[in-house]
Amino acid sequence: MERNEGHTVGMDWSDFSGKSVALLGAGTENISLISHLKKAGATVTVCDRSDELEELDSDIRLVTGEHYLSDIAGYDFLFRSPGLPTAVVEQALINAQSRPELTSAVDLIFSMKGQQVIAVTGTKGKGTTSSMITQILKAAGKPVILAGNIGNSIFDSWDRLTPETLIVMEVSSFQLEDVAHSPHIAVVLPITADHLQPLSERSPNFHQDLPSYIVAKQQITAYQGPDDTVVFSLDSQASAQIGQSAAAKKISVSAKTKADVFVEGGVLRISQTEIDLAKETKLRGDHLFHNAAVACAVADILKISVENMLEGLSSFRPLPHRMEEVGVFGGVKYVDDSYATAPDATIAALSAYTDQPTILILGGSSKGADFSELAQRIESSSVKTVVLVGQEAVNIEQSLKKFAPKISRLTGFSVFKDAVETALRQANSGDVVLLSPACASKDMFKNAAERGEKFTKLIHELS
C-alpha cells in the first residue's frame, strides 16, 4: 500500500487483511462497509454513543455509551461517520502515541483503484444534478450507479460494479471535510451559508463559520491532478474560487457571465451547440436550468451526444420534496419543496413561478441562516402572502418587515397544520401554494421528508 503525505493512495480491500477496524458511528455508510471488511479479513468494531443499535453479526464487537471513543487509538483504521465532528475524533486521539489511519466510506471510494467517480457537492441542487447526470448517462447506455446522500451507500452495490461502471455521488461538506483523495470528476455547485449550527443531538456536526464550510467543500478538488476535471459554477464566489484554484482541468458554468458552458432563459450553449432546454424538456425554473447545464457539462466531458443529453433530461423528474407538484385542486397548484432548507433554495424555487401569484410557507428550525436576501427577493417576486411557522418565524418576519414591508404576512403558527390550512384559505384559482421553508425541520419533524409528506397529506385532506 503506497502512502503520500501520510495518506493511503490507490487502496483496495486487501489493505484491510488482518487489520483492526473501528467504525465510528453506526450510520448507513459505515454499516454498509461491514460485510466487505469482514470478507477482506479485517476485525470490525462498531463504536456508537447509542445503546440501542440494530442487531449486527455476532462477530462484530460493539462499543456503546458515553465513552464509546475512549479506546479508538488502538485500531489500525478508523472510519468516521459524517455526523461525527472531526474535532471530537481528534480530541479522542489527542494523547495517542501512534495514530490509526483515519478515513471514511466516501474517502475509501475516492481512493479505490480502478473506479471512476463523479462527485457532486454544493449547498443546494446536489441531488437534482446527480440525478440528471445519471439519467443522461443511462440514456447514453453507460453503466452507472447513483449513490451517496441521494441513494444507497455505494458499498451496498459494490458487487455489481465493473471497471466500466461510472459512479455518481452526491456528497456533503461533512463527508468531504477530512478526505485525503478526490474524485476523477468533481462538480461544485453554488455555495452559500449552511450547517452553521447543529441540527440535533443525533446530528451534532456543524461548521464554525462560513469559511470553515467552504474549506470543507474545497476538499473535493484538493487531491485532483491534471488528468482530473472540475466542473464549477461561476455564479457563486465560493464555488468559483474552488474551481479556479484546482489543479485539474476546469469547466466553468454560468447564467450570468461568459463561461465554458452558458445558460440563460433556458437556452444552453455548450461546445458551440445551442439547446433550448425550456422547449425541449419539461424543466422549469432558473435553478433547474443551471443544474441541467452542469449535468450537460459533465456529459460533454464524457463525450455524450446532445441527443442523449436531451433524452436523459427529458426523463428526469423532480425528486421527492424538491419542487414536487402535489396536485391542482380548485385551480390552485400545490408544490412541495420541503427540502429547501436554506434561503438560497427558496430563492431558486421562486424563479419557477414568476407568472403566478404565490402563497409561500416559510419557517422551521434554525441552521444559522440570514434571511435578508430572501426577503429582498420576495419583495420583487410573485409572492402575495407569506405564512410563517416554527422556530425561525420571528427572525424571518423581522427580515420581511425590513426588506419586504408590502408583502402580506401571517404568523404565530406553532402547529404545521394550522399554517397549511391558512395558506389554503388565502389561495384563489390560478395561484400557487408553495412549501419552500428556507429552514430545517427539526422543530416539528424527524426530517424534511416527513415535513413534505405531512404537507402532501394535508393538501389532499383539506382540498
Side-chain angles (χ1 to χ4, degrees):
M1 178 168 54
E2 300 173 74
R3 290 183 180 270
N4 179 22
E5 297 182 352
H7 300 299
T8 54
V9 178
M11 295 185 70
D12 59 35
W13 295 114
S14 65
D15 294 318
F16 298 101
S17 178
K19 303 296 184 180
S20 60
V21 178
L23 307 178
L24 309 184
T28 301
E29 286 184 348
N30 274 355
I31 296 302
S32 72
L33 291 167
I34 291 177
S35 62
H36 303 291
L37 291 169
K38 284 174 58 181
K39 186 177 179 181
T43 302
V44 181
T45 300
V46 175
C47 305
D48 194 277
R49 181 181 291 276
S50 174
D51 292 315
E52 301 178 356
L53 298 183
E54 292 185 15
E55 187 174 339
L56 301 173
D57 294 348
S58 58
D59 57 346
I60 300 299
R61 179 171 172 253
L62 294 179
V63 178
T64 60
E66 184 179 352
H67 302 291
Y68 72 108
L69 299 177
S70 59
D71 295 320
I72 60 173
Y75 296 92
D76 295 311
F77 288 91
L78 303 177
F79 280 83
R80 183 187 66 88
S81 175
L84 180 62
T86 56
V88 173
V89 179
E90 290 301 325
Q91 182 62 37
L93 293 171
I94 195 167
N95 295 318
Q97 295 188 1
S98 63
R99 286 178 62 92
E101 185 79 21
L102 181 59
T103 186
S104 64
V106 165
D107 195 33
L108 180 60
I109 189 59
F110 284 177
S111 74
M112 278 289 191
K113 296 173 183 175
Q115 299 303 327
Q116 299 184 72
V117 180
I118 303 162
V120 181
T121 198
T123 301
K124 289 297 170 186
K126 299 185 294 293
T128 294
T129 304
S130 299
S131 297
M132 287 178 171
I133 293 169
T134 302
Q135 289 299 109
I136 291 171
L137 295 178
K138 285 182 177 179
K142 301 288 186 181
V144 58
I145 285 184
L146 177 61
N149 283 342
I150 189 173
N152 296 326
S153 166
I154 187 59
F155 295 107
D156 288 334
S157 305
W158 187 259
D159 293 335
R160 293 162 43 202
L161 302 186
T162 69
E164 291 74 36
T165 303
L166 294 165
I167 301 169
V168 182
M169 297 182 66
E170 175 196 340
V171 289
S172 71
S173 57
F174 299 135
Q175 291 169 306
L176 291 169
E177 60 185 332
D178 59 351
V179 298
H181 307 85
S182 294
H184 176 52
I185 298 177
V187 176
V188 187
L189 298 171
I191 296 172
T192 54
D194 202 9
H195 299 300
L196 300 185
Q197 64 183 48
L199 277 180
S200 66
E201 289 186 10
R202 183 63 185 166
S203 300
N205 209 356
F206 73 105
H207 300 288
Q208 295 291 337
D209 48 36
L210 180 57
S212 300
Y213 176 56
I214 294 170
V215 167
K217 293 287 192 185
Q218 192 161 10
Q219 290 295 97
I220 197 170
T221 63
Y223 302 93
Q224 285 191 307
D227 293 332
D228 301 315
T229 306
V230 57
V231 177
F232 62 96
S233 173
L234 271 179
D235 298 343
S236 155
Q237 183 179 354
S239 59
Q241 174 189 329
I242 291 172
Q244 290 166 342
S245 64
K249 294 187 283 283
K250 303 169 181 64
I251 304 293
S252 59
V253 180
S254 179
K256 299 177 181 178
T257 188
K258 184 178 180 181
D260 299 309
V261 177
F262 184 75
V263 61
E264 183 179 37
V267 178
L268 171 66
R269 296 177 182 86
I270 182 170
S271 293
Q272 300 181 329
T273 300
E274 189 171 286
I275 307 171
D276 191 338
L277 296 175
K279 181 179 179 181
E280 300 290 340
T281 72
K282 296 180 179 179
L283 301 178
R284 180 173 182 173
D286 292 342
H287 60 306
L288 287 183
F289 293 142
H290 191 278
N291 294 339
V294 171
C296 289
V298 172
D300 196 49
I301 294 167
L302 299 171
K303 303 189 185 308
I304 306 299
S305 68
V306 169
E307 289 73 21
N308 287 146
M309 291 181 196
L310 283 174
E311 182 181 351
L313 292 174
S314 296
S315 65
F316 169 80
R317 295 293 177 270
L319 302 172
H321 318 300
R322 293 173 172 91
M323 295 299 288
E324 182 180 17
E325 292 191 6
V326 172
V328 178
F329 303 101
V332 178
K333 181 179 293 184
Y334 296 92
V335 181
D336 170 13
D337 192 32
S338 183
Y339 271 123
T341 59
D344 264 41
T346 301
I347 290 170
L350 294 177
S351 73
Y353 299 105
T354 56
D355 58 344
Q356 292 178 269
T358 301
I359 295 92
L360 176 63
I361 302 175
L362 287 177
S365 60
S366 178
K367 295 171 74 179
D370 182 339
F371 300 102
S372 301
E373 184 180 357
L374 172 60
Q376 293 173 55
R377 295 295 187 94
I378 288 173
E379 173 77 356
S380 60
S381 73
S382 62
V383 172
K384 68 175 188 178
T385 302
V386 175
V387 180
L388 297 166
V389 64
Q391 291 175 352
E392 284 283 57
V394 173
N395 290 330
I396 299 172
E397 184 171 27
Q398 289 176 348
S399 292
L400 289 171
K401 282 181 178 179
K402 183 175 181 180
F403 297 107
K406 297 179 182 178
I407 301 295
S408 171
R409 303 183 304 276
L410 300 171
T411 189
F413 300 104
S414 58
V415 177
F416 187 70
K417 180 180 179 181
D418 294 344
V420 174
E421 286 182 329
T422 300
L424 265 66
R425 286 197 294 269
Q426 300 299 309
N428 301 312
S429 180
D431 290 355
V432 175
V433 172
L434 172 62
L435 171 67
S436 189
C439 300
S441 58
K442 298 295 184 178
D443 55 343
M444 296 181 179
F445 301 96
K446 179 175 64 177
N447 52 39
E450 185 179 74
R451 177 171 60 190
E453 290 162 5
K454 180 66 172 178
F455 175 75
T456 299
K457 182 179 179 182
L458 288 170
I459 294 304
H460 285 282
E461 288 176 353
L462 299 171
S463 298

